[in-house]
Amino acid sequence: MDKPAHREDSLAALGPELERPAPSGSTVVFGENAPAPRADPPPRAPRGEKPRPPSPARPPEPQPRGGKAIDLMTGGAMDLDAPAVPETRIISWEAPPGRMDPVRRVHRPNRPEGTAAGPAPGRTFIAKPPPPAAPLVGAAETRENPIVVPEPAPASDTEPEVFRQLRERPLDTATYEQLADFFDTRGDAPRAVLMREIVEALAGRETPAPRLQRPPLTGDERAGLRHPGLRTASGELLACAGIALCRLFPAQGRAADASEPLRAVAGPGAPAVLDALHTSARILAMNLPELVLADDDGPPFTAVHTDKPRLLVGRAAIRQPLPAAELRFHAGRALLSLSPDLLALRALKGAQLLRALALLSTVLKDPKDSSADARLVRASLSPRALERTLELLEPGTRDFNASALADAARDSANRAGLVACGGVGPAVTVIRSRRSQDSELVELLRFAASERYLALRDASR
């Protein structure tokens, strides 16, 4: 119980020594100007004895006047007789997140507050310094390094008038010529060359046969050939279950009865046909299916599904060789049509496709169904594809538009043919020879003038 009183007596024994200010921590005192050390506290009384009364404190010895020291922060001399940094105080400080000790700051009336340990108030550690003022033209200009004042960039919402004209008249040759001139003025040679190639194709002029030296497409590049109309829930549903739908309604008639394999000695055009198929398969990075000669002339290539996917080769292409680029266009179209979604849309008729989707829905909703159709569907789909098909069944059939999906499948096949043939001219020639609607040609040219095709085209240059 006597310890607190003893502590108070000990502190009182120091007397005015506690009230005498110590030199600032930012000064160095040397020589005879050093202040006298503080008096040591009296020793504690032994345990069990009463503490002795404190002796009267000695008055502090007078210090010599006129002591000088050097301030380490300012580098200037300071008077030791002045009050010991009366303006020193603890100020709220800003610092990066983390554990840090408070910082003592020196307040100076004519300078902003702050220390080397932290920035001044009003500016956080993440604040960027103010940008330097732009120099005046000619202020720092030299003969070796002149200052170039950049021209103001055009507004981002402005668009050349020729772009609007192209959207309104996608088959106008003059519009593509203006686009070529526009890209020439910008120094964009690849786009200018492409626009002039479209002009030549629309005008029907003969162009040099394109040379294919590009590497095979990657999976992402091949997926990019699909029309946006197939990148929907309905399109993904067909991509998952397309083979099962085709097996529910396999090809019938002469397409199913054809069994003669394609050989190089089948006719004068057989070697060119085989070369076009192998070249297109290499470019599109796809495997060739079974190649069978059709019983009639028909188109050069037709994708069908009997018990498995196959390509039927028309007799006309075997008897009379076609230009190599046009053959590659046909081959590219047929090879991409072997994809599950395109095969279901191009090999099945509209009524067959809707009936197959109804059977698929019935099978997936009844796991105990043991009918022949149910066994066929489950055998055609992997467990993962079966699970994904069940998830897509409701959203994929809600707004199912078979006609729009069929057009998207046709346009996707034309894109693959364009990449396989290597030029816009052969693709336009084939589409016009089929007397197709203008909408099919417009979709092909829209893809031919796109950034996606330009990237695929530059890879072959």
Side-chain angles (χ1 to χ4, degrees):
M1 297 298 293
D2 297 336
K3 289 184 179 181
H6 171 69
R7 178 174 179 84
E8 293 176 0
D9 295 341
S10 300
L11 295 177
L14 297 179
E17 189 70 20
L18 289 177
E19 301 177 358
R20 183 171 58 87
S24 171
S26 62
T27 61
V28 177
V29 183
F30 46 87
E32 57 183 4
N33 295 329
R38 297 184 180 180
D40 296 331
R44 296 184 179 180
R47 181 173 297 180
E49 297 182 5
K50 295 183 178 180
R52 298 178 181 177
S55 59
R58 293 183 304 172
E61 298 179 1
Q63 299 293 330
R65 308 288 295 180
K68 299 294 182 179
I70 298 177
D71 192 335
L72 294 182
M73 298 185 67
T74 62
M78 63 179 297
D79 188 3
L80 291 179
D81 295 331
V85 196
E87 294 86 0
T88 300
R89 55 182 177 176
I90 300 297
I91 308 175
S92 62
W93 52 279
E94 302 170 3
R99 181 179 179 83
M100 295 184 65
D101 297 328
V103 179
R104 292 174 60 88
R105 292 186 175 179
V106 179
H107 173 72
R108 295 181 178 85
N110 297 330
R111 299 179 62 181
E113 294 178 351
T115 66
R123 176 180 168 189
T124 63
F125 74 101
I126 59 174
K128 298 181 178 179
L136 298 177
V137 178
E141 187 175 8
T142 61
R143 187 179 300 275
E144 293 79 10
N145 186 22
I147 295 178
V148 179
V149 180
E151 297 180 0
S156 58
D157 56 348
T158 59
E159 183 184 60
E161 179 67 18
V162 66
F163 290 173
R164 184 187 61 80
Q165 296 175 4
L166 180 63
R167 287 193 294 269
E168 295 177 354
R169 299 186 295 273
L171 299 180
D172 187 11
T173 305
T175 305
Y176 291 98
E177 291 178 347
Q178 295 177 15
L179 266 179
D181 296 338
F182 172 79
F183 288 127
D184 276 335
T185 59
R186 296 298 182 95
D188 195 343
R191 288 178 175 80
V193 172
L194 177 59
M195 295 302 111
R196 289 193 172 89
E197 183 177 338
I198 296 177
V199 171
E200 298 294 326
L202 290 176
R205 306 187 187 102
E206 293 186 4
T207 56
R211 296 182 300 172
L212 291 179
Q213 299 176 353
R214 65 152 295 120
L217 297 181
T218 63
D220 292 340
E221 290 174 339
R222 188 172 60 250
L225 298 178
R226 279 177 165 77
H227 191 273
L230 296 180
R231 302 172 195 171
T232 59
S234 300
E236 187 177 356
L237 174 64
L238 295 176
C240 291
I243 296 298
L245 301 179
C246 291
R247 293 188 67 181
L248 289 173
F249 290 92
Q252 302 291 335
R254 302 176 67 179
D257 296 338
S259 58
E260 182 180 356
L262 175 64
R263 296 184 177 90
V265 296
V273 168
L274 287 172
D275 181 72
L277 286 170
H278 284 281
T279 302
S280 300
R282 179 190 64 81
I283 294 174
L284 299 177
M286 300 183 66
N287 297 323
L288 282 176
E290 181 184 5
L291 304 177
V292 181
L293 281 174
D295 293 337
D296 53 7
D297 291 343
F301 308 105
T302 304
V304 297
H305 190 286
T306 52
D307 56 340
K308 57 184 176 181
R310 62 197 326 199
L311 277 183
L312 296 181
V313 183
R315 298 277 179 173
I318 299 298
R319 288 196 306 267
Q320 184 176 0
L322 295 174
E326 296 182 15
L327 270 178
R328 290 197 300 270
F329 179 80
H330 287 290
R333 295 181 75 255
L335 286 175
L336 193 68
S337 297
L338 292 172
S339 304
D341 48 352
L342 271 72
L343 188 60
L345 290 168
R346 296 181 65 79
L348 299 180
K349 297 179 181 179
Q352 291 177 334
L353 180 59
L354 297 179
R355 177 60 179 161
L357 286 173
L359 291 174
L360 178 67
S361 176
T362 301
V363 169
L364 294 181
K365 291 180 180 179
D366 187 6
K368 298 182 180 180
D369 190 354
S370 59
S371 62
D373 291 339
R375 293 195 301 271
L376 184 62
V377 168
R378 295 191 180 98
S380 303
L381 302 176
S382 64
R384 184 175 180 181
L386 192 64
E387 180 182 0
R388 183 58 179 162
T389 301
L390 185 58
E391 296 175 356
L392 293 168
L393 187 61
E394 195 277 331
T397 56
R398 185 184 303 123
D399 299 320
F400 193 85
N401 190 335
S403 176
L405 290 170
D407 291 343
R410 175 203 65 197
D411 296 332
S412 301
N414 288 338
R415 294 180 175 190
L418 174 61
V419 174
C421 74
V424 183
V428 172
T429 300
V430 171
I431 290 180
R432 282 180 168 173
S433 65
R434 296 168 52 198
R435 296 180 175 84
S436 304
Q437 297 180 356
D438 287 345
S439 59
E440 183 176 356
L441 183 57
V442 167
E443 284 296 328
L444 177 70
L445 294 179
R446 184 174 297 166
F447 176 73
S450 67
E451 297 292 329
R452 188 183 299 274
Y453 177 68
L454 181 66
L456 299 176
R457 172 189 175 90
D458 288 345
S460 62
R461 297 302 178 188

